[in-house]
Amino acid sequence: MTVTLGEPLLTAPRVSIKDPVDNHCYTVKEVFPDAPAGSTFSSVGNHATTPINAYEGDACSGAPTATSPMGYGMFLGGAPIRSIKILSGP
Protein backbone atom coordinates (compact mmCIF):
# COMPACT_ATOMS: atom_id res chain seq x y z
CA MET A 1 0.00 0.00 0.00
CA THR A 2 1.25 3.48 -0.82
CA VAL A 3 0.07 6.63 0.93
CA THR A 4 0.84 10.26 0.09
CA LEU A 5 0.71 13.09 2.61
CA GLY A 6 -1.04 16.38 1.87
CA GLU A 7 -1.36 17.80 -1.63
CA PRO A 8 -0.99 15.31 -4.51
CA LEU A 9 2.23 16.77 -5.87
CA LEU A 10 5.32 14.99 -7.07
CA THR A 11 7.22 16.47 -4.13
CA ALA A 12 4.67 15.36 -1.50
CA PRO A 13 5.98 12.83 1.03
CA ARG A 14 5.08 9.29 -0.05
CA VAL A 15 5.45 6.06 1.93
CA SER A 16 4.96 2.40 1.08
CA ILE A 17 3.65 0.33 3.96
CA LYS A 18 5.29 -3.05 3.59
CA ASP A 19 3.61 -6.08 5.16
CA PRO A 20 0.52 -4.22 6.44
CA VAL A 21 -1.21 -5.83 9.44
CA ASP A 22 -4.76 -7.14 8.97
CA ASN A 23 -7.45 -5.23 10.87
CA HIS A 24 -4.98 -2.49 11.83
CA CYS A 25 -5.98 1.15 11.50
CA TYR A 26 -3.19 3.38 10.18
CA THR A 27 -3.50 7.09 10.92
CA VAL A 28 -1.65 9.99 9.32
CA LYS A 29 0.41 10.51 12.48
CA GLU A 30 1.41 6.84 12.63
CA VAL A 31 2.67 6.80 9.05
CA PHE A 32 4.00 10.40 9.03
CA PRO A 33 4.90 11.20 12.69
CA ASP A 34 6.16 14.71 11.85
CA ALA A 35 3.06 15.74 9.88
CA PRO A 36 1.37 18.94 11.10
CA ALA A 37 -1.86 18.56 13.08
CA GLY A 38 -4.88 18.19 10.81
CA SER A 39 -2.89 16.64 7.95
CA THR A 40 -4.56 14.12 5.63
CA PHE A 41 -3.51 11.48 3.13
CA SER A 42 -4.04 12.96 -0.32
CA SER A 43 -4.06 9.52 -1.90
CA VAL A 44 -3.99 5.82 -1.09
CA GLY A 45 -3.01 3.05 -3.49
CA ASN A 46 -3.53 -0.65 -2.78
CA HIS A 47 -0.78 -2.90 -4.13
CA ALA A 48 -1.69 -5.94 -2.02
CA THR A 49 -4.31 -8.66 -2.32
CA THR A 50 -5.82 -7.66 1.03
CA PRO A 51 -8.60 -5.05 0.64
CA ILE A 52 -8.49 -1.76 2.53
CA ASN A 53 -10.97 0.91 3.59
CA ALA A 54 -10.20 4.63 3.78
CA TYR A 55 -11.89 6.97 6.27
CA GLU A 56 -12.33 10.71 6.63
CA GLY A 57 -12.47 10.21 10.41
CA ASP A 58 -9.50 9.64 12.68
CA ALA A 59 -8.93 6.11 13.97
CA CYS A 60 -11.03 4.56 11.18
CA SER A 61 -14.21 6.08 12.59
CA GLY A 62 -17.42 6.64 10.66
CA ALA A 63 -18.32 5.19 7.29
CA PRO A 64 -15.59 4.31 4.77
CA THR A 65 -14.96 6.94 2.08
CA ALA A 66 -15.55 4.50 -0.80
CA THR A 67 -18.73 2.45 -1.18
CA SER A 68 -16.75 -0.80 -1.22
CA PRO A 69 -13.28 -1.85 -0.01
CA MET A 70 -10.36 -1.02 -2.27
CA GLY A 71 -8.97 -4.15 -3.90
CA TYR A 72 -5.63 -4.81 -5.57
CA GLY A 73 -4.57 -2.07 -7.99
CA MET A 74 -7.18 0.45 -6.81
CA PHE A 75 -6.32 4.07 -6.04
CA LEU A 76 -8.26 6.68 -4.07
CA GLY A 77 -7.54 10.40 -4.09
CA GLY A 78 -9.35 13.71 -3.85
CA ALA A 79 -10.93 13.04 -0.47
CA PRO A 80 -9.61 14.09 2.95
CA ILE A 81 -8.42 10.68 4.17
CA ARG A 82 -7.35 10.63 7.82
CA SER A 83 -7.05 6.89 8.39
CA ILE A 84 -6.97 3.57 6.53
CA LYS A 85 -7.78 0.05 7.70
CA ILE A 86 -6.38 -3.17 6.33
CA LEU A 87 -9.19 -5.72 6.22
CA SER A 88 -8.76 -9.42 6.92
CA GLY A 89 -6.88 -11.31 4.23
CA PRO A 90 -8.53 -13.79 1.88
Side-chain angles (χ1 to χ4, degrees):
M1 169 177 34
T2 303
V3 292
T4 306
L5 179 68
E7 294 300 315
L9 303 172
L10 292 176
T11 58
R14 185 173 311 205
V15 169
S16 290
I17 299 173
K18 306 242 187 258
D19 300 320
V21 178
D22 285 359
N23 296 311
H24 183 75
C25 179
Y26 291 89
T27 63
V28 173
K29 284 303 243 178
E30 180 178 358
V31 179
F32 297 101
D34 297 329
S39 292
T40 61
F41 296 122
S42 63
S43 65
V44 176
N46 190 2
H47 310 292
T49 56
T50 306
I52 62 174
N53 276 331
Y55 299 85
E56 288 187 34
D58 291 323
C60 298
S61 61
T65 302
T67 55
S68 61
M70 295 171 49
Y72 174 78
M74 295 183 79
F75 172 85
L76 179 64
I81 303 165
R82 290 183 178 82
S83 55
I84 49 179
K85 185 173 189 175
I86 312 305
L87 304 179
S88 295

